[in-house]
Amino acid sequence: MELFSSSMRKLWKEWNLRVSVLLSLALQIILITLGNRRKHNHKLWISIVVWCAYLSADVVATFALGISTNNVSEIYDKKCGSMDANTELPAFWAPFLLLHLGGPDTITAYALEDNELWLRHFLGLAIQTGMAIYIFITAWIGSHLSILYLLMFVAGLIKYGERTWVLRKASIKTIRESIVDVGISSSDLDLTGFGQDEGYTLFDAYRLVRIYFRPLFLNFKVPMLVTNITSTTLEHRFQIIEAALGFMYDNLYTKAPLLYTRRGLELRVITFFLTSSVSVLFPVVVIHDKHKFSNTDVTITFILLVGAIILELYSAVLVLSSDRFHVWLIEHGKLSSMKALECFRTQNRWSNNMSQFSLLSFIMKEKPLPCPNILKHLCLDKKLEKQRYAADMEIHNNLKTLIFLYLQEKAIAQRAQIPPRVDSIDVGHMGLNFTEELEKSILAWHVATDIRYELDEEDVKRHGHAFELHCGLICQISRYMFYLMVLHPNMISDGSMNQITLPSILLAARSLEFTSKIEACQRFNELLTISETYLYRRRLVQSEGENDNDNDIKIFLKNRLPKLLRTLSQQALEERWKIISWTWLEMFPYAAIKCRGIQHAQHLKNGGEFLTHVWFMASVLIGFTHEDFTPHPSADPISINLVMPLLKRPHLFDFPEEATNPQV
C-alpha cells in the first residue's frame, strides 16, 4: 500500500522547487526585517522567530539547490544534453539561492558561536558555488537567459563571500589576533573636547568602540579614559553607552565590518547594478520568448527579482539610517545631509528593559502554569515556570540616576582621597564576601532585601517619599540580579554555588504553604531547614561520602543567611536600608565588571542587559576595576556615606511613584 498516490508524488515533483525558492525568499524577508529589531527589542517571540528563520534559511536554500541540481542532471541524462524551456527557467533560480545564502546585511550570526563556524560556511560556499556552476554548465544552451544567469551568479557569489568574510572577521580568534594591532594614543582617550548633541554623541561612541571593543570583548586590561566625569550629563553618558553597544552589536552580528568600508561599498554597488540589470533585461527575454516558458515559472522568477531589488533597497535605507553612516557624515562634515536623513532613523538602540524575579512571589505560587502535567511530562515545567516569574520592567531614569551618581561620587572621593566622616557605620561582619562568593551573596542579599522590604513597607512609607523611592530602586536592583542568577547564571557565575543549590531552595519553597508574603518572611527559617533536608537527602542518593561543597551550602543556609537577617533586624530603619543600599550599589557594578566581555556581547542579541550598560559605564567612562569595590561596609566608610546624601536631592528623583514600584 502506497502512502502517497502517484498524483500526489507528481504534484510534489512539480512544485517542490517552486515552493522551496519562495520559502527561501520569505525567510530572507523575515531576517532582514526582524534581524535588526532584536538589538532593541526584548520580546521573546522576536528571538524565537529570528532563531527559526536563521536556522531554516540555509537549509531551505541548500535543499532547493539540491533539487535543481537533481532536476538538470535527470533531464540531461534522459535527453542526452538537450534542455527544454521548462528546465531552463527553474535552473535560472540557482543564483538567487546563492544570493539568499549570503543572507541580509542585518544578521550574519544569530549567536557568537556562529562566527566560530566561518570555516563551515566557507566549505558551504565552495560546495554550493560548485553546485550552481554545475547547474549553469549543464543548463547552458547559449540563450539570453544563460547570460542573465551569469550576471546573477556573480551577484550571488559576492553576497555569499561577504557573509563568510564577515563571520571570520567576528570570530574570537581573529579578534584576538588583531588586538596587537590596536594602538591607543592619549589623544584617542581624550573625549573632553566634544559636545553633547546627537552627532557628537555618536562620534564619541564610535571612537570608544574603536579603542575598547577588542580589549573589552576579551577582558584585556584597558587604559583609563581621559575625561572629566562631571563634564557631561547623565543623559549624554547613557546615550554614548547605548550607541557604543550598538556599534559592538553591529561588529559581531551584522555585515557592518565590511559594509562601511570602501571595498564593501564597491561590492554593494556591483551587486545592486547586476541585480537591477537582470530585473530590467528579464522582461525583454520573456517578451521575446513569451510562449516558451511556463506562466507559473515566469511569475515566480518575477517575484524573486522584485524580492531581490526590494531587499537591496531596504538594506540601503537601513544603511542610510544607521548610526555608523551618521558618523561617516560627521567625519566628512556633511551635517546638513545628516539632518535630512533624520526621518529614516529610529531612536531605539536597545530594549531599555530590566527583568525582575522575586523569590517571595515564587514561593507564593502567584502565577501557576497552564497544563502543568503536560509540561511536566515534556520536562518543560521548571524552565517555563522560571520564565513566567520573570517580569519585564522598563528602566526609568531615576534608577540610572541613582547608580550613576553613586559611582561618580565614589570615583571623586577615591581620587581626591577624601577622609571618612566620623559617623561611619560600624556593623559586625555578616559572614558574606561578594568578592569571593558572588552567587551566594546575591542569593542572601536578595532574600534579605525582599524580606526587609515586605516587613518594613509601612515604616518606609511613613519615612517620606524620597526614602520610599530609594528603597524601591534598591529592590529593583535586587530582583534584577536574582533574575540573572536564576535565568542567566553564566553572567555572574563564580563557582560558589553548585548546580543543585538554587533548585533545592526553589523546590523547598514550593513545599511550604503560605497565606501571605508577610507569613513567608516570618517563616523563612522553616524554608531554610527544608532546603537543608533536601540537600542532605540528595547527597545520600548521589553519594555515600561527604561532600565539602554540600556541607558549605548547609552552613550557608543554616547559619550565614539567618545571621544576615538577624544583623539587619537589629539596625534602625534608616541604618538598615543604608547597609542594604550600599551593598547593592557596590555589588551591582562589581558583578558587571567581573562578567566576561563575551557574555556581555552574547546578550546584546536579545535586546541587551542593563548589567552590560553598567559595565561599560563603570569600567570605561569612569575607570573602575573590580579591585575598587569592597565587600563590607565597615571596610569602605567613604562610599557608604555617599548613599543617604543622595536622598537630599529630590529634584533628581522626580518621576511618578508607580514607575518605581518593585512588586513583581
Side-chain angles (χ1 to χ4, degrees):
M1 180 179 177
E2 294 182 347
L3 186 60
F4 297 103
S5 63
S6 57
S7 59
M8 288 289 292
R9 292 198 301 272
K10 182 179 179 181
L11 181 64
W12 169 245
K13 187 173 182 179
E14 182 179 354
W15 278 90
N16 55 6
L17 181 58
R18 295 170 178 173
V19 171
S20 298
V21 295
L22 291 177
L23 179 58
S24 180
L25 176 62
L27 291 172
Q28 294 302 306
I29 294 173
I30 292 173
L31 287 175
I32 198 170
T33 53
L34 295 182
N36 206 40
R37 285 187 62 186
R38 66 184 185 141
K39 178 170 68 173
H40 56 78
N41 199 309
H42 193 69
K43 294 181 180 178
L44 182 61
W45 72 267
I46 289 182
S47 297
I48 294 175
V49 172
V50 172
W51 178 71
C52 293
Y54 181 83
L55 293 181
S56 303
D58 288 356
V59 174
V60 171
T62 304
F63 175 71
L65 266 177
I67 294 175
S68 183
T69 303
N70 183 68
N71 288 346
V72 296
S73 298
E74 185 177 334
I75 293 176
Y76 189 86
D77 292 338
K78 287 182 178 180
K79 299 188 178 182
C80 301
S82 176
M83 293 290 138
D84 58 13
N86 292 329
T87 306
E88 185 182 7
L89 193 54
F92 177 59
W93 300 340
F96 288 95
L97 296 172
L98 278 183
L99 203 69
H100 296 168
L101 286 167
D105 297 337
T106 56
I107 177 171
T108 54
Y110 178 81
L112 289 180
E113 294 80 4
D114 297 317
N115 294 321
E116 307 307 309
L117 301 177
W118 70 270
L119 272 175
R120 181 181 299 179
H121 284 272
F122 181 75
L123 180 61
L125 169 64
I127 294 175
Q128 287 146 8
T129 300
M131 293 171 66
I133 293 175
Y134 173 79
I135 294 171
F136 173 69
I137 295 174
T138 306
W140 173 269
I141 57 175
S143 65
H144 296 96
L145 194 61
S146 299
I147 304 299
L148 298 185
Y149 184 106
L150 184 60
L151 296 179
M152 282 304 303
F153 172 78
V154 174
L157 184 60
I158 291 174
K159 282 282 191 179
Y160 204 171
E162 285 180 352
R163 182 185 181 188
T164 306
W165 185 89
V166 170
L167 286 171
R168 179 186 176 276
K169 188 75 173 177
S171 65
I172 295 176
K173 182 180 179 180
T174 304
I175 293 175
R176 183 177 288 110
E177 290 174 349
S178 64
I179 198 170
V180 296
D181 300 327
V182 180
I184 303 178
S185 64
S186 58
S187 60
D188 290 331
L189 299 174
D190 187 0
L191 297 184
T192 57
F194 292 102
Q196 297 186 23
D197 59 19
E198 175 70 12
Y200 286 116
T201 296
L202 293 177
F203 196 69
D204 290 355
Y206 179 66
R207 284 183 55 187
L208 284 175
V209 170
R210 288 184 60 185
I211 298 168
Y212 287 109
F213 166 63
R214 296 174 181 85
L216 286 175
F217 182 70
L218 298 173
N219 282 96
F220 280 57
K221 186 175 181 179
V222 296
M224 181 178 172
L225 187 68
V226 179
T227 180
N228 183 359
I229 62 175
T230 61
S231 64
T232 55
T233 63
L234 170 67
E235 182 181 6
H236 182 227
R237 291 236 162 193
F238 275 99
Q239 285 176 350
I240 290 177
I241 294 171
E242 291 173 11
L245 293 178
F247 288 134
M248 288 180 65
Y249 171 89
D250 293 339
N251 287 338
L252 293 170
Y253 297 103
T254 73
K255 290 185 179 180
L258 176 65
L259 193 60
Y260 298 101
T261 63
R262 182 175 180 178
R263 182 182 300 174
L265 180 61
E266 292 171 351
L267 292 175
R268 191 48 39 89
V269 171
I270 292 172
T271 56
F272 183 75
F273 174 76
L274 292 174
T275 307
S276 301
S277 300
V278 173
S279 300
V280 172
L281 295 175
F282 180 72
V284 178
V285 174
V286 172
I287 293 173
H288 183 267
D289 299 320
K290 58 183 178 180
H291 301 297
K292 183 178 179 182
F293 304 114
S294 163
N295 290 333
T296 302
D297 292 340
V298 170
T299 302
I300 292 175
T301 307
F302 271 118
I303 293 174
L304 291 173
L305 284 168
V306 172
I309 292 295
I310 291 176
L311 291 177
E312 288 285 342
L313 293 176
Y314 187 70
S315 295
V317 171
L318 292 178
V319 169
L320 295 176
S321 62
S322 66
D323 287 343
R324 179 64 185 88
F325 184 72
H326 281 236
V327 170
W328 182 87
L329 293 176
I330 295 170
E331 290 177 326
H332 292 80
K334 302 181 182 295
L335 299 181
S336 58
S337 301
M338 187 177 74
K339 294 180 180 178
L341 294 171
E342 285 293 328
C343 58
F344 294 104
R345 300 196 62 206
T346 175
Q347 297 299 321
N348 297 326
R349 293 193 179 97
W350 81 295
S351 64
N352 199 39
N353 182 277
M354 187 175 77
S355 298
Q356 305 276 279
F357 194 103
S358 170
L359 182 61
L360 286 183
S361 295
F362 192 87
I363 290 174
M364 293 303 299
K365 305 180 184 180
E366 296 174 340
K367 301 176 183 178
L369 285 172
C371 308
N373 293 331
I374 297 176
L375 293 175
K376 186 175 182 179
H377 284 297
L378 295 174
C379 300
L380 295 175
D381 54 330
K382 294 181 180 179
K383 185 172 184 179
L384 292 178
E385 189 175 38
K386 291 179 183 179
Q387 290 284 354
R388 191 172 178 83
Y389 279 83
D392 289 339
M393 185 201 78
E394 182 181 354
I395 303 173
H396 293 274
N397 288 342
N398 44 19
L399 180 60
K400 297 177 182 179
T401 300
L402 175 64
I403 296 172
F404 174 76
L405 287 178
Y406 177 79
L407 292 177
Q408 175 180 268
E409 296 195 8
K410 178 181 175 72
I412 293 174
Q414 286 184 348
R415 292 166 191 172
Q417 296 182 346
I418 298 175
R421 299 204 307 258
V422 295
D423 59 338
S424 298
I425 189 167
D426 184 19
V427 295
H429 198 281
M430 300 177 186
L432 289 168
N433 184 336
F434 64 77
T435 61
E436 297 178 358
E437 299 177 313
L438 181 59
E439 290 178 277
K440 287 183 180 179
S441 297
I442 291 174
L443 172 61
W445 280 103
H446 168 73
V447 170
T449 304
D450 248 15
I451 288 178
R452 290 318 314 177
Y453 188 80
E454 195 69 30
L455 297 178
D456 294 341
E457 185 176 8
E458 296 301 323
D459 293 334
V460 167
K461 289 180 179 179
R462 286 194 293 266
H463 212 72
H465 176 68
F467 189 78
E468 180 185 4
L469 173 60
H470 181 88
C471 295
L473 296 175
I474 295 302
C475 281
Q476 289 179 8
I477 298 175
S478 165
R479 293 174 181 179
Y480 175 60
M481 294 294 287
F482 193 65
Y483 156 79
L484 293 176
M485 182 175 169
V486 173
L487 290 168
H488 301 296
N490 54 346
M491 296 195 77
I492 56 175
S493 177
D494 64 350
S496 65
M497 294 180 65
N498 64 14
Q499 296 180 351
I500 66 172
T501 304
L502 184 59
S504 71
I505 292 175
L506 298 180
L507 182 64
R510 283 303 172 83
S511 67
L512 301 177
E513 295 182 359
F514 299 116
T515 58
S516 67
K517 288 184 179 179
I518 292 292
E519 183 186 0
C521 295
Q522 294 169 344
R523 295 174 55 193
F524 202 79
N525 282 337
E526 184 179 346
L527 168 62
L528 299 179
T529 302
I530 292 178
S531 299
E532 179 188 351
T533 304
Y534 173 82
L535 286 175
Y536 178 73
R537 291 176 179 172
R538 184 72 172 265
R539 189 179 72 252
L540 287 180
V541 171
Q542 292 181 345
S543 174
E544 296 181 358
E546 286 293 323
N547 188 307
D548 292 337
N549 200 21
D550 283 342
N551 287 332
D552 183 52
I553 294 168
K554 288 175 64 178
I555 294 172
F556 172 75
L557 292 173
K558 190 173 182 179
N559 299 323
R560 298 168 71 186
L561 184 52
K563 180 181 178 181
L564 172 61
L565 293 170
R566 285 195 302 270
T567 303
L568 292 175
S569 301
Q570 293 167 1
Q571 303 293 323
L573 178 69
E574 188 170 310
E575 292 301 303
R576 174 162 58 243
W577 281 96
K578 188 176 181 179
I579 298 171
I580 294 174
S581 300
W582 175 89
T583 302
W584 285 114
L585 291 174
E586 284 281 306
M587 189 158 51
F588 190 21
Y590 172 83
I593 294 173
K594 286 292 287 184
C595 177
R596 293 186 302 157
I598 291 177
Q599 292 299 331
H600 284 298
Q602 188 75 270
H603 287 268
L604 292 177
K605 65 183 174 62
N606 293 323
E609 290 291 350
F610 188 47
L611 189 76
T612 303
H613 290 247
V614 174
W615 164 65
F616 201 94
M617 177 175 64
S619 60
V620 175
L621 299 189
I622 297 182
F624 280 126
T625 66
H626 66 275
E627 297 174 351
D628 292 310
F629 299 95
T630 54
H632 192 259
S634 297
D636 192 8
I638 296 177
S639 296
I640 196 168
N641 283 297
L642 299 176
V643 175
M644 299 309 292
L646 294 177
L647 297 178
K648 298 178 181 179
R649 304 178 183 180
H651 61 283
L652 296 174
F653 305 102
D654 55 354
F655 297 90
E657 181 178 354
E658 58 269 18
T660 59
N661 185 0
Q663 299 299 325
V664 177

